[in-house]
Amino acid sequence: RPWELAKLGESERLHRVLGNLAEVLRHVGFMLIPFMPTTAEKILTALGQDGWRSERLVNLQEWGRLKKGTVLTKPDHLFPQIE
């Protein structure tokens, strides 16, 4: 619960938790490429991973490739809204 860490003022732990969550999303994005390429592309773009196509897969699997200070962008909707 990152919001609780923010309320408690534990900014160092909050940054670590959010960094790990972003790294998990980066890995999920790569795992989705074969099944949902458009959604995967949106996730990776939002995480600032535009240059992933020029990387070797073995390098992309490494934990911690999302560098501290990476600018994240608000993605478009991943899926259309069902009404």
Side-chain angles (χ1 to χ4, degrees):
R1 298 182 181 164
W3 54 91
E4 289 180 4
L5 295 174
K7 286 180 186 177
L8 295 172
E10 295 187 35
S11 61
E12 184 177 320
R13 188 167 173 216
L14 174 63
H15 287 125
R16 198 167 47 247
V17 167
L18 293 177
N20 283 332
L21 288 172
E23 188 67 24
V24 167
L25 287 174
R26 187 181 73 82
H27 281 262
V28 167
F30 289 118
M31 288 186 263
L32 285 176
I33 290 170
F35 310 102
M36 301 165 75
T38 303
T39 300
E41 184 73 34
K42 289 178 183 178
I43 292 169
L44 295 171
T45 299
L47 293 171
Q49 301 298 295
D50 298 325
W52 65 270
R53 285 191 171 97
S54 62
E55 294 277 342
R56 293 183 44 182
L57 181 59
V58 68
N59 294 336
L60 296 173
Q61 296 173 352
E62 293 174 2
W63 186 264
R65 298 217 9 132
L66 191 61
K67 300 299 180 203
K68 183 177 181 177
T70 298
V71 177
L72 307 182
T73 60
K74 184 176 180 180
D76 294 331
H77 294 282
L78 296 179
F79 306 102
Q81 183 175 355
I82 298 174
E83 300 202 22

